[in-house]
Amino acid sequence: MAEILTEIRKIPPVTRFLVASSLGITLPATLHLISPWRLVFVTQAVIKDFEFWRLYTSCFFGSMNLNYIFELAMLYRNSNALESTHYERRSSDYAWQLFLASLALVGVNRPIQSYTHTRALLHTLTYLMCSLSPPGALTSVMGLITIPIAYFPYALLGMDLLTGGTSAAAQGVSGMLVGHAWWWLVWGSGIGSGGVEQGMYAGWGRAPAWLKSWFGEREEYGRAGSRRGAVQAFAPRQRAEEAAASGRVTGHRWGSGRRLGES
């Protein structure tokens, strides 16, 4: 038991929360311990009856069949990849951006009247993970074929269309739209593996101070350069300009020297 708990603690905190939420909501409904109707998103119930928990449960209520194993595995894989690399030591930023993306998913799915947002959330995380992957990276589809990772969100959308019909595909499209907005507005186009947020709304993606404190993170962002962990990167020209402005001299001082023939 102790070994299991140790392995669970190795999972990044936000990913651990997502997986635990999915299991804690889907399994009781599958075992008929709670009515699924109490977990899905119903606009009238939220607005008129103030059943706000549906906003949360509808994002983690998975399929009540064998497809749920695939959904859970994809949720863990994609979230863990994001939090362990692009949001390393910045789980608070990841949690904040994920919260904003979830609100956007609820709004985007209103026209198609989705009862759950689980598939849409999965597509959002998949699209972001693939967009931030190195160019030319490959991934496996169901362990059968290998394709460029940039095409994986569309392959997943095709599988939704085949297995769930147009309604499932519509939810997938909504998730991809939110994922693209997340990537474009926060990260900016052309930012790949190891990059930092440079989108036009990158500042909005930084977690509030209270959330950083709750995660136990103390991270500051400089004027030009983003701090990730304990390393802060600056452009060489910027470092030279700042040194000149402050009167500091970088490098070794070699002296003025003498001309040939001078004694």
Side-chain angles (χ1 to χ4, degrees):
M1 186 64 181
E3 295 180 356
I4 296 177
L5 293 177
T6 300
E7 293 299 321
I8 292 177
R9 293 191 185 98
K10 292 180 181 179
I11 302 174
V14 178
T15 300
R16 189 164 62 237
F17 171 79
L18 296 181
V19 173
S21 296
S22 179
L23 290 171
I25 292 172
T26 305
L27 290 184
T30 304
L31 298 174
H32 303 288
L33 300 178
I34 186 174
S35 171
W37 181 252
R38 302 288 294 174
L39 304 174
V40 298
F41 181 83
V42 181
T43 303
Q44 297 299 324
V46 173
I47 296 178
K48 292 186 177 181
D49 300 332
F50 307 106
E51 297 179 0
F52 298 117
W53 70 80
R54 294 178 183 268
L55 294 169
Y56 165 69
T57 57
S58 63
C59 290
F60 299 101
F61 184 28
S63 302
M64 298 173 61
N65 49 43
L66 291 178
N67 289 335
Y68 176 66
I69 298 176
F70 173 75
E71 294 174 359
L72 186 65
M74 287 293 296
L75 178 64
Y76 169 78
R77 173 193 174 188
N78 295 337
S79 180
N80 185 65
L82 287 170
E83 192 172 3
S84 299
T85 54
H86 307 287
Y87 292 94
E88 184 181 7
R89 299 182 183 179
R90 299 189 304 121
S91 293
S92 60
D93 287 347
Y94 179 46
W96 177 249
Q97 294 173 25
L98 186 59
F99 170 72
L100 297 178
S102 299
L103 293 180
L105 281 176
V106 174
V108 171
N109 276 269
R110 283 289 301 278
I112 59 178
Q113 298 180 349
S114 298
Y115 287 109
T116 63
H117 306 112
T118 308
R119 297 295 298 181
L121 178 62
L122 182 60
H123 276 272
T124 296
L125 295 176
T126 301
Y127 189 96
L128 181 64
M129 186 270 293
C130 294
S131 298
L132 295 178
S133 296
L138 302 175
T139 188
S140 174
V141 179
M142 305 290 290
L144 300 176
I145 59 174
T146 301
I147 62 173
I149 198 170
Y151 299 147
F152 183 69
Y154 305 98
L156 186 62
L157 181 64
M159 288 189 291
D160 281 353
L161 180 61
L162 292 175
T163 59
T166 55
S167 60
Q171 294 179 34
V173 170
S174 69
M176 293 174 65
L177 290 175
V178 174
H180 181 78
W182 186 349
W183 168 69
W184 180 267
L185 297 177
V186 176
W187 284 89
S189 62
I191 302 300
S193 179
V196 294
E197 294 98 320
Q198 296 181 1
M200 64 181 71
Y201 290 103
W204 288 63
R206 295 172 184 168
W210 64 266
L211 186 57
K212 285 185 176 294
S213 177
W214 191 77
F215 274 90
E217 299 173 355
R218 293 183 179 179
E219 188 173 6
E220 298 177 357
Y221 293 83
R223 176 178 58 84
S226 296
R227 184 180 298 274
R228 300 190 64 183
V231 179
Q232 189 169 12
F234 293 90
R237 179 177 296 179
Q238 175 197 337
R239 179 179 295 176
E241 292 175 352
E242 291 182 353
S246 61
R248 293 184 289 106
V249 178
T250 59
H252 181 73
R253 301 190 63 173
W254 296 96
S256 58
R258 291 186 300 176
R259 293 182 180 178
L260 293 174
E262 292 182 353
S263 56

Short mmCIF file of all heavy atoms in Angstrom, two decimals, residues 6 16 24 47 55 72 75 90 100 103 106 114 122 147 176 180 207 222 239 256:
data_model
loop_
_atom_site.label_atom_id
_atom_site.label_comp_id
_atom_site.label_asym_id
_atom_site.label_seq_id
_atom_site.Cartn_x
_atom_site.Cartn_y
_atom_site.Cartn_z
N THR A 6 3.18 6.00 -2.82
CA THR A 6 4.40 6.68 -3.28
C THR A 6 4.33 6.94 -4.78
O THR A 6 4.71 8.02 -5.26
CB THR A 6 5.64 5.82 -2.96
OG1 THR A 6 5.72 5.62 -1.55
CG2 THR A 6 6.91 6.51 -3.45
N ARG A 16 -3.01 14.58 -11.15
CA ARG A 16 -3.56 13.70 -10.11
C ARG A 16 -5.00 14.11 -9.78
O ARG A 16 -5.87 13.25 -9.61
CB ARG A 16 -2.68 13.78 -8.86
CG ARG A 16 -3.03 12.76 -7.80
CD ARG A 16 -1.90 12.64 -6.79
NE ARG A 16 -1.65 13.89 -6.08
CZ ARG A 16 -0.49 14.52 -6.05
NH1 ARG A 16 0.56 14.02 -6.71
NH2 ARG A 16 -0.33 15.63 -5.37
N GLY A 24 -13.61 9.42 -9.48
CA GLY A 24 -14.57 9.67 -8.41
C GLY A 24 -15.97 10.00 -8.90
O GLY A 24 -16.94 9.84 -8.14
N ILE A 47 -28.97 27.17 -13.89
CA ILE A 47 -29.38 28.57 -13.79
C ILE A 47 -30.54 28.74 -12.80
O ILE A 47 -30.50 29.62 -11.93
CB ILE A 47 -29.78 29.11 -15.17
CG1 ILE A 47 -28.57 29.11 -16.11
CG2 ILE A 47 -30.35 30.52 -15.05
CD1 ILE A 47 -28.87 29.57 -17.51
N LEU A 55 -21.34 21.97 -13.40
CA LEU A 55 -20.25 22.53 -14.19
C LEU A 55 -18.98 21.71 -14.02
O LEU A 55 -18.20 21.54 -14.96
CB LEU A 55 -20.00 23.99 -13.78
CG LEU A 55 -21.12 24.98 -14.09
CD1 LEU A 55 -20.83 26.31 -13.39
CD2 LEU A 55 -21.25 25.19 -15.59
N LEU A 72 -9.65 7.52 -19.86
CA LEU A 72 -8.85 7.77 -18.66
C LEU A 72 -7.36 7.74 -19.00
O LEU A 72 -6.59 8.57 -18.50
CB LEU A 72 -9.17 6.73 -17.59
CG LEU A 72 -8.50 6.93 -16.23
CD1 LEU A 72 -9.00 8.21 -15.57
CD2 LEU A 72 -8.77 5.74 -15.32
N LEU A 75 -6.49 10.92 -20.84
CA LEU A 75 -6.50 12.06 -19.92
C LEU A 75 -5.20 12.12 -19.13
O LEU A 75 -4.57 13.18 -19.01
CB LEU A 75 -7.69 11.96 -18.98
CG LEU A 75 -7.82 13.05 -17.91
CD1 LEU A 75 -8.04 14.41 -18.55
CD2 LEU A 75 -8.94 12.72 -16.94
N ARG A 90 5.35 24.62 -12.55
CA ARG A 90 4.37 25.70 -12.71
C ARG A 90 2.97 25.12 -12.76
O ARG A 90 2.16 25.49 -13.60
CB ARG A 90 4.67 26.50 -13.98
CG ARG A 90 6.03 27.17 -14.00
CD ARG A 90 6.20 28.14 -15.17
NE ARG A 90 5.95 27.48 -16.44
CZ ARG A 90 5.00 27.88 -17.30
NH1 ARG A 90 4.22 28.88 -17.03
NH2 ARG A 90 4.85 27.25 -18.45
N LEU A 100 -9.74 28.23 -16.97
CA LEU A 100 -10.29 29.15 -17.97
C LEU A 100 -10.73 28.40 -19.22
O LEU A 100 -11.78 28.71 -19.81
CB LEU A 100 -9.25 30.21 -18.33
CG LEU A 100 -8.80 31.14 -17.20
CD1 LEU A 100 -7.73 32.11 -17.69
CD2 LEU A 100 -9.99 31.91 -16.62
N LEU A 103 -14.13 26.70 -18.60
CA LEU A 103 -15.24 27.65 -18.72
C LEU A 103 -15.55 27.93 -20.19
O LEU A 103 -16.73 28.02 -20.57
CB LEU A 103 -14.89 28.95 -18.01
CG LEU A 103 -14.76 28.90 -16.48
CD1 LEU A 103 -14.41 30.28 -15.93
CD2 LEU A 103 -16.04 28.39 -15.83
N VAL A 106 -17.56 25.04 -21.69
CA VAL A 106 -18.99 25.07 -21.35
C VAL A 106 -19.72 26.05 -22.25
O VAL A 106 -20.82 25.76 -22.76
CB VAL A 106 -19.18 25.44 -19.87
CG1 VAL A 106 -20.66 25.61 -19.55
CG2 VAL A 106 -18.57 24.38 -18.96
N SER A 114 -24.57 19.99 -25.22
CA SER A 114 -23.88 18.81 -24.72
C SER A 114 -24.21 18.59 -23.25
O SER A 114 -24.20 19.54 -22.46
CB SER A 114 -22.37 18.96 -24.90
OG SER A 114 -22.03 19.09 -26.26
N LEU A 122 -10.90 16.39 -23.25
CA LEU A 122 -9.85 15.50 -23.72
C LEU A 122 -9.25 16.00 -25.03
O LEU A 122 -8.03 15.98 -25.23
CB LEU A 122 -10.41 14.09 -23.90
CG LEU A 122 -9.43 13.00 -24.34
CD1 LEU A 122 -8.30 12.85 -23.32
CD2 LEU A 122 -10.15 11.68 -24.53
N ILE A 147 1.91 7.98 -36.65
CA ILE A 147 1.66 9.15 -37.48
C ILE A 147 2.35 10.35 -36.86
O ILE A 147 2.69 10.34 -35.67
CB ILE A 147 0.15 9.43 -37.62
CG1 ILE A 147 -0.46 9.73 -36.24
CG2 ILE A 147 -0.57 8.28 -38.30
CD1 ILE A 147 -1.91 10.18 -36.30
N MET A 176 -11.26 21.05 -29.79
CA MET A 176 -10.12 21.47 -30.60
C MET A 176 -10.09 22.98 -30.78
O MET A 176 -9.01 23.59 -30.80
CB MET A 176 -10.17 20.76 -31.96
CG MET A 176 -9.95 19.26 -31.87
SD MET A 176 -10.18 18.40 -33.46
CE MET A 176 -8.83 19.09 -34.40
N HIS A 180 -7.01 25.19 -29.63
CA HIS A 180 -6.29 26.09 -30.54
C HIS A 180 -6.23 27.49 -29.97
O HIS A 180 -5.18 28.15 -30.05
CB HIS A 180 -6.98 26.11 -31.90
CG HIS A 180 -6.29 26.98 -32.90
ND1 HIS A 180 -5.16 26.57 -33.56
CD2 HIS A 180 -6.56 28.25 -33.33
CE1 HIS A 180 -4.76 27.55 -34.38
NE2 HIS A 180 -5.59 28.57 -34.26
N ALA A 207 -1.05 32.36 -13.11
CA ALA A 207 -1.94 32.12 -11.97
C ALA A 207 -1.88 33.28 -10.98
O ALA A 207 -0.83 33.92 -10.82
CB ALA A 207 -1.53 30.83 -11.26
N GLY A 222 10.21 38.11 -15.07
CA GLY A 222 10.96 39.33 -15.34
C GLY A 222 10.31 40.16 -16.41
O GLY A 222 9.32 39.79 -17.03
N ARG A 239 20.89 41.42 -22.37
CA ARG A 239 21.82 41.40 -21.24
C ARG A 239 22.91 42.45 -21.43
O ARG A 239 23.30 43.14 -20.49
CB ARG A 239 22.42 40.01 -21.11
CG ARG A 239 23.42 39.90 -19.97
CD ARG A 239 23.97 38.49 -19.87
NE ARG A 239 22.91 37.55 -19.51
CZ ARG A 239 23.11 36.25 -19.45
NH1 ARG A 239 24.30 35.73 -19.72
NH2 ARG A 239 22.11 35.45 -19.12
N SER A 256 44.10 48.34 -21.89
CA SER A 256 44.08 49.13 -23.12
C SER A 256 45.08 48.63 -24.13
O SER A 256 44.95 48.87 -25.33
CB SER A 256 44.38 50.61 -22.80
OG SER A 256 45.66 50.71 -22.17
#
